[in-house]
Amino acid sequence: MVREPDRTVDLPGVPRADPLGEPLARALEGDEGAFAEVWRLLHPPLLRYLRVRDRDTAEDIAAETWLHVIRDLSRFSGGPSEFRAWLFTLGRHRAIDAGRARAARPSTPTAEVIDIGTAPSAEAAALERVDTEAAVRLVASLPPPQAEMVMLRVVAGLSVAEVATIVDKKPGTVAVNVHRALKKLAGSHRAPSGTGVPAAVCPD
């Protein structure tokens, strides 16, 4: 008898395995390839979150955040949920620090630097980001505290309790704010189709 290959079956009420779990475990053991996979999974949502907080410096803040992660990875303990919360907390702190530093010194106009390196086609990358950029702009139209909660809950995939810890609010406050914000966005005539912003989020 030929045995059929195993198939993954989603059972009602049984959560699917977190895709971050396996590469994170290997990354914590020193596997550089696994860390690259962790980066591929989490860098896009981190960048979208930071663009809502500070669009002009989001790339730089994200880079600083990952450098901090690399430096302190050996001291991290926990699973995927704890790692996500740690990463976005670091990103938030870096963004706050950058905002304070910018406010403390006057800005000086500089000539625009155009990167003509060997990166993939800028046009292709821009086309791939159309829906994401539209969603980020839509969320950014909310009051900053509310926008941050939505990004952490929906884009980062953190739980209500984790978001509450990061923004120093009660879980109930976070749940209500996120629900109201998403309801407002869903009913907005400016909301483009297919942005990936759900109509509601259920509190944990």
Side-chain angles (χ1 to χ4, degrees):
M1 179 181 294
V2 178
R3 181 180 178 183
E4 294 186 2
D6 293 336
R7 293 184 175 86
T8 301
V9 178
D10 292 333
L11 299 176
V14 178
R16 298 180 63 182
D18 192 318
L20 182 62
E22 192 267 341
L24 176 61
R26 289 191 289 115
L28 293 175
E29 294 175 353
D31 187 326
E32 293 184 4
F35 183 83
E37 187 172 348
V38 170
W39 182 89
R40 283 193 294 271
L41 287 169
L42 294 182
H43 183 68
L46 174 66
L47 195 55
R48 289 195 290 271
Y49 163 67
L50 293 173
R51 281 175 179 158
V52 167
R53 286 198 60 98
D54 194 330
R55 188 174 189 83
D56 293 336
T57 60
E59 294 274 0
D60 292 338
I61 296 171
E64 292 177 12
T65 300
W66 283 109
L67 286 175
H68 192 129
V69 169
I70 292 170
R71 186 190 70 190
D72 292 344
L73 187 62
S74 62
R75 292 187 295 212
F76 172 81
S77 63
S81 294
E82 291 79 11
F83 188 84
R84 285 190 182 90
W86 180 48
L87 175 67
F88 280 85
T89 299
L90 290 175
R92 185 175 192 264
H93 289 168
R94 298 286 80 74
I96 291 172
D97 291 343
R100 289 172 177 167
R102 189 167 53 254
R105 64 177 186 273
S107 60
T108 303
T110 58
E112 182 179 1
V113 177
I114 301 176
D115 183 5
I116 55 174
T118 59
S121 165
E123 292 83 358
L127 287 175
E128 292 175 357
R129 291 199 306 265
V130 168
D131 286 346
T132 296
E133 292 291 337
V136 168
R137 286 195 299 272
L138 190 63
V139 175
S141 68
L142 295 167
Q146 201 171 41
E148 181 175 36
M149 292 181 200
V150 170
M151 294 301 287
L152 289 172
R153 181 73 175 103
V154 179
V155 177
L158 302 181
S159 69
V160 167
E162 289 166 338
V163 175
T165 298
I166 291 173
V167 302
D168 194 24
K169 300 288 185 183
K170 294 181 179 179
T173 300
V174 171
V176 169
N177 272 275
V178 170
H179 178 76
R180 288 177 177 171
L182 293 176
K183 186 175 180 180
K184 176 182 177 181
L185 294 178
S188 172
H189 293 296
R190 291 178 295 133
S193 60
T195 59
V197 179
V201 169
C202 297
D204 286 351

